[in-house]
Amino acid sequence: MAIIRLETRIHAPIEICFDISRDIDVHIKSTKHTGETAIAGTITGLIGLGESVTWRARHLGIWQTLTSKITAFNYPVYFTDEMVQGAFTSFKHEHIFEAKENSTLMTDVFRFESPLGMLGKLANHLFLTTYMRNLLVHRNEVIKKEAERLALLKNEA
C-alpha cells in the first residue's frame, strides 16, 4: 500500500478550511485539467457523513469512474473519504485540520492500493505515487487560495 502525507498551512480559520475541503464545486475546480465531473450522489455543495459522490475524470489518458463515501466526520477537525468503487483496489483519504496561530494546518494522509499485484506495485513506484501526489498538491493549492480569499472577505465585512 502506498501512502502520501502532505501538510499545507492556510491563513484562514479552521471552519473555512474544513468546509472548502469537502466542497464538491471546489474539488471540480481543482481537477479541471482532468475534466473531472461529479455524476452521481452529492454532485454540488458540501458533502457530509454517509454521503457519496461518483466522479468521472480522465487520468493518465484513460476515462475512469470512481465512487467515494465520507466514512468518518468530526467537524471541523477531521473527515475521511474512502473509495467504494473504482480503479484502485482501495483508497482511504484522511483530512486532518489543526487550528494554529492565525492559520490552519491541513494534513492529508492518502493511502491507496493499486490492482494487479506486483505490476500495480511497480506502477506505484514508477509513476502512480508521483501522479497522485501532484494531484493532491494542486488540489491543496486551490483549497488554500479559496480559503484565504474567503477569510479575507470575512475580515473585510
PDB file of all heavy atoms in Angstrom, residues 86-103:
ATOM      1  N   GLY A  86     -14.157   1.670  -7.984  1.00  0.00           N
ATOM      2  CA  GLY A  86     -13.252   2.396  -8.868  1.00  0.00           C
ATOM      3  C   GLY A  86     -12.055   1.574  -9.265  1.00  0.00           C
ATOM      4  O   GLY A  86     -12.001   0.365  -9.026  1.00  0.00           O
ATOM      5  N   ALA A  87     -11.077   2.244  -9.856  1.00  0.00           N
ATOM      6  CA  ALA A  87      -9.923   1.580 -10.451  1.00  0.00           C
ATOM      7  C   ALA A  87      -8.920   1.039  -9.428  1.00  0.00           C
ATOM      8  O   ALA A  87      -8.193   0.092  -9.715  1.00  0.00           O
ATOM      9  CB  ALA A  87      -9.206   2.536 -11.397  1.00  0.00           C
ATOM     10  N   PHE A  88      -8.851   1.630  -8.247  1.00  0.00           N
ATOM     11  CA  PHE A  88      -7.925   1.150  -7.226  1.00  0.00           C
ATOM     12  C   PHE A  88      -8.474  -0.108  -6.564  1.00  0.00           C
ATOM     13  O   PHE A  88      -9.685  -0.336  -6.559  1.00  0.00           O
ATOM     14  CB  PHE A  88      -7.709   2.209  -6.135  1.00  0.00           C
ATOM     15  CG  PHE A  88      -6.986   3.433  -6.601  1.00  0.00           C
ATOM     16  CD1 PHE A  88      -7.671   4.604  -6.865  1.00  0.00           C
ATOM     17  CD2 PHE A  88      -5.609   3.422  -6.763  1.00  0.00           C
ATOM     18  CE1 PHE A  88      -7.017   5.744  -7.287  1.00  0.00           C
ATOM     19  CE2 PHE A  88      -4.934   4.556  -7.188  1.00  0.00           C
ATOM     20  CZ  PHE A  88      -5.641   5.721  -7.457  1.00  0.00           C
ATOM     21  N   THR A  89      -7.602  -0.873  -5.969  1.00  0.00           N
ATOM     22  CA  THR A  89      -8.062  -1.953  -5.106  1.00  0.00           C
ATOM     23  C   THR A  89      -8.713  -1.328  -3.877  1.00  0.00           C
ATOM     24  O   THR A  89      -9.754  -1.781  -3.415  1.00  0.00           O
ATOM     25  CB  THR A  89      -6.890  -2.872  -4.702  1.00  0.00           C
ATOM     26  OG1 THR A  89      -6.363  -3.451  -5.893  1.00  0.00           O
ATOM     27  CG2 THR A  89      -7.328  -3.961  -3.756  1.00  0.00           C
ATOM     28  N   SER A  90      -8.096  -0.246  -3.380  1.00  0.00           N
ATOM     29  CA  SER A  90      -8.665   0.524  -2.277  1.00  0.00           C
ATOM     30  C   SER A  90      -7.991   1.885  -2.211  1.00  0.00           C
ATOM     31  O   SER A  90      -6.868   2.050  -2.689  1.00  0.00           O
ATOM     32  CB  SER A  90      -8.491  -0.203  -0.940  1.00  0.00           C
ATOM     33  OG  SER A  90      -7.119  -0.261  -0.596  1.00  0.00           O
ATOM     34  N   PHE A  91      -8.694   2.851  -1.615  1.00  0.00           N
ATOM     35  CA  PHE A  91      -8.048   4.082  -1.190  1.00  0.00           C
ATOM     36  C   PHE A  91      -8.802   4.670  -0.021  1.00  0.00           C
ATOM     37  O   PHE A  91     -10.010   4.512   0.113  1.00  0.00           O
ATOM     38  CB  PHE A  91      -7.793   5.082  -2.328  1.00  0.00           C
ATOM     39  CG  PHE A  91      -8.862   6.099  -2.631  1.00  0.00           C
ATOM     40  CD1 PHE A  91      -9.401   6.940  -1.669  1.00  0.00           C
ATOM     41  CD2 PHE A  91      -9.288   6.266  -3.934  1.00  0.00           C
ATOM     42  CE1 PHE A  91     -10.350   7.890  -1.980  1.00  0.00           C
ATOM     43  CE2 PHE A  91     -10.250   7.224  -4.256  1.00  0.00           C
ATOM     44  CZ  PHE A  91     -10.777   8.026  -3.272  1.00  0.00           C
ATOM     45  N   LYS A  92      -8.046   5.321   0.840  1.00  0.00           N
ATOM     46  CA  LYS A  92      -8.578   5.993   2.014  1.00  0.00           C
ATOM     47  C   LYS A  92      -7.855   7.331   2.123  1.00  0.00           C
ATOM     48  O   LYS A  92      -6.626   7.377   2.161  1.00  0.00           O
ATOM     49  CB  LYS A  92      -8.338   5.148   3.269  1.00  0.00           C
ATOM     50  CG  LYS A  92      -8.861   5.768   4.548  1.00  0.00           C
ATOM     51  CD  LYS A  92      -8.632   4.839   5.736  1.00  0.00           C
ATOM     52  CE  LYS A  92      -9.215   5.396   7.006  1.00  0.00           C
ATOM     53  NZ  LYS A  92      -9.034   4.451   8.131  1.00  0.00           N
ATOM     54  N   HIS A  93      -8.633   8.425   2.172  1.00  0.00           N
ATOM     55  CA  HIS A  93      -8.060   9.766   2.243  1.00  0.00           C
ATOM     56  C   HIS A  93      -8.534  10.429   3.528  1.00  0.00           C
ATOM     57  O   HIS A  93      -9.704  10.763   3.664  1.00  0.00           O
ATOM     58  CB  HIS A  93      -8.502  10.568   1.016  1.00  0.00           C
ATOM     59  CG  HIS A  93      -7.860  11.907   0.907  1.00  0.00           C
ATOM     60  ND1 HIS A  93      -8.090  12.744  -0.159  1.00  0.00           N
ATOM     61  CD2 HIS A  93      -6.998  12.577   1.707  1.00  0.00           C
ATOM     62  CE1 HIS A  93      -7.407  13.854  -0.005  1.00  0.00           C
ATOM     63  NE2 HIS A  93      -6.736  13.784   1.132  1.00  0.00           N
ATOM     64  N   GLU A  94      -7.609  10.597   4.463  1.00  0.00           N
ATOM     65  CA  GLU A  94      -7.894  11.271   5.730  1.00  0.00           C
ATOM     66  C   GLU A  94      -7.542  12.745   5.592  1.00  0.00           C
ATOM     67  O   GLU A  94      -6.479  13.097   5.084  1.00  0.00           O
ATOM     68  CB  GLU A  94      -7.088  10.647   6.854  1.00  0.00           C
ATOM     69  CG  GLU A  94      -7.462   9.207   7.129  1.00  0.00           C
ATOM     70  CD  GLU A  94      -6.575   8.598   8.186  1.00  0.00           C
ATOM     71  OE1 GLU A  94      -5.457   8.183   7.830  1.00  0.00           O
ATOM     72  OE2 GLU A  94      -7.001   8.566   9.350  1.00  0.00           O
ATOM     73  N   HIS A  95      -8.452  13.602   6.066  1.00  0.00           N
ATOM     74  CA  HIS A  95      -8.282  15.057   6.037  1.00  0.00           C
ATOM     75  C   HIS A  95      -8.275  15.522   7.496  1.00  0.00           C
ATOM     76  O   HIS A  95      -9.281  15.380   8.195  1.00  0.00           O
ATOM     77  CB  HIS A  95      -9.443  15.718   5.302  1.00  0.00           C
ATOM     78  CG  HIS A  95      -9.707  15.158   3.938  1.00  0.00           C
ATOM     79  ND1 HIS A  95      -9.317  15.794   2.787  1.00  0.00           N
ATOM     80  CD2 HIS A  95     -10.339  14.019   3.549  1.00  0.00           C
ATOM     81  CE1 HIS A  95      -9.706  15.080   1.737  1.00  0.00           C
ATOM     82  NE2 HIS A  95     -10.328  13.996   2.180  1.00  0.00           N
ATOM     83  N   ILE A  96      -7.155  16.071   7.943  1.00  0.00           N
ATOM     84  CA  ILE A  96      -6.976  16.455   9.344  1.00  0.00           C
ATOM     85  C   ILE A  96      -6.706  17.964   9.405  1.00  0.00           C
ATOM     86  O   ILE A  96      -5.876  18.476   8.647  1.00  0.00           O
ATOM     87  CB  ILE A  96      -5.803  15.680   9.977  1.00  0.00           C
ATOM     88  CG1 ILE A  96      -6.029  14.173   9.804  1.00  0.00           C
ATOM     89  CG2 ILE A  96      -5.616  16.058  11.444  1.00  0.00           C
ATOM     90  CD1 ILE A  96      -4.768  13.347   9.856  1.00  0.00           C
ATOM     91  N   PHE A  97      -7.388  18.654  10.322  1.00  0.00           N
ATOM     92  CA  PHE A  97      -7.271  20.107  10.428  1.00  0.00           C
ATOM     93  C   PHE A  97      -6.924  20.479  11.860  1.00  0.00           C
ATOM     94  O   PHE A  97      -7.558  20.010  12.805  1.00  0.00           O
ATOM     95  CB  PHE A  97      -8.595  20.774  10.035  1.00  0.00           C
ATOM     96  CG  PHE A  97      -9.027  20.419   8.636  1.00  0.00           C
ATOM     97  CD1 PHE A  97      -9.742  19.250   8.396  1.00  0.00           C
ATOM     98  CD2 PHE A  97      -8.698  21.220   7.564  1.00  0.00           C
ATOM     99  CE1 PHE A  97     -10.128  18.894   7.119  1.00  0.00           C
ATOM    100  CE2 PHE A  97      -9.075  20.871   6.280  1.00  0.00           C
ATOM    101  CZ  PHE A  97      -9.791  19.710   6.052  1.00  0.00           C
ATOM    102  N   GLU A  98      -5.908  21.345  11.998  1.00  0.00           N
ATOM    103  CA  GLU A  98      -5.494  21.831  13.317  1.00  0.00           C
ATOM    104  C   GLU A  98      -5.423  23.349  13.279  1.00  0.00           C
ATOM    105  O   GLU A  98      -4.745  23.914  12.419  1.00  0.00           O
ATOM    106  CB  GLU A  98      -4.113  21.288  13.683  1.00  0.00           C
ATOM    107  CG  GLU A  98      -4.025  19.792  13.797  1.00  0.00           C
ATOM    108  CD  GLU A  98      -2.589  19.353  14.029  1.00  0.00           C
ATOM    109  OE1 GLU A  98      -2.044  19.653  15.112  1.00  0.00           O
ATOM    110  OE2 GLU A  98      -2.014  18.748  13.116  1.00  0.00           O
ATOM    111  N   ALA A  99      -6.107  23.991  14.223  1.00  0.00           N
ATOM    112  CA  ALA A  99      -6.028  25.443  14.339  1.00  0.00           C
ATOM    113  C   ALA A  99      -4.667  25.798  14.929  1.00  0.00           C
ATOM    114  O   ALA A  99      -4.255  25.240  15.947  1.00  0.00           O
ATOM    115  CB  ALA A  99      -7.155  25.972  15.212  1.00  0.00           C
ATOM    116  N   LYS A 100      -3.972  26.685  14.261  1.00  0.00           N
ATOM    117  CA  LYS A 100      -2.676  27.201  14.726  1.00  0.00           C
ATOM    118  C   LYS A 100      -2.802  28.711  14.859  1.00  0.00           C
ATOM    119  O   LYS A 100      -3.843  29.276  14.567  1.00  0.00           O
ATOM    120  CB  LYS A 100      -1.572  26.833  13.720  1.00  0.00           C
ATOM    121  CG  LYS A 100      -1.392  25.339  13.499  1.00  0.00           C
ATOM    122  CD  LYS A 100      -0.746  24.696  14.686  1.00  0.00           C
ATOM    123  CE  LYS A 100      -0.469  23.224  14.411  1.00  0.00           C
ATOM    124  NZ  LYS A 100       0.168  22.568  15.533  1.00  0.00           N
ATOM    125  N   GLU A 101      -1.728  29.374  15.256  1.00  0.00           N
ATOM    126  CA  GLU A 101      -1.756  30.832  15.401  1.00  0.00           C
ATOM    127  C   GLU A 101      -2.150  31.476  14.076  1.00  0.00           C
ATOM    128  O   GLU A 101      -1.393  31.437  13.116  1.00  0.00           O
ATOM    129  CB  GLU A 101      -0.383  31.349  15.828  1.00  0.00           C
ATOM    130  CG  GLU A 101       0.030  30.892  17.202  1.00  0.00           C
ATOM    131  CD  GLU A 101       1.431  31.347  17.551  1.00  0.00           C
ATOM    132  OE1 GLU A 101       1.969  32.244  16.870  1.00  0.00           O
ATOM    133  OE2 GLU A 101       1.983  30.799  18.507  1.00  0.00           O
ATOM    134  N   ASN A 102      -3.338  32.054  14.022  1.00  0.00           N
ATOM    135  CA  ASN A 102      -3.840  32.779  12.847  1.00  0.00           C
ATOM    136  C   ASN A 102      -3.848  31.954  11.561  1.00  0.00           C
ATOM    137  O   ASN A 102      -3.769  32.512  10.470  1.00  0.00           O
ATOM    138  CB  ASN A 102      -3.033  34.065  12.613  1.00  0.00           C
ATOM    139  CG  ASN A 102      -3.108  34.989  13.805  1.00  0.00           C
ATOM    140  OD1 ASN A 102      -4.173  35.161  14.396  1.00  0.00           O
ATOM    141  ND2 ASN A 102      -1.986  35.572  14.167  1.00  0.00           N
ATOM    142  N   SER A 103      -3.872  30.636  11.689  1.00  0.00           N
ATOM    143  CA  SER A 103      -3.885  29.804  10.496  1.00  0.00           C
ATOM    144  C   SER A 103      -4.412  28.411  10.837  1.00  0.00           C
ATOM    145  O   SER A 103      -4.748  28.114  11.977  1.00  0.00           O
ATOM    146  CB  SER A 103      -2.486  29.696   9.886  1.00  0.00           C
ATOM    147  OG  SER A 103      -1.615  28.988  10.740  1.00  0.00           O
TER     148      SER A 103
END
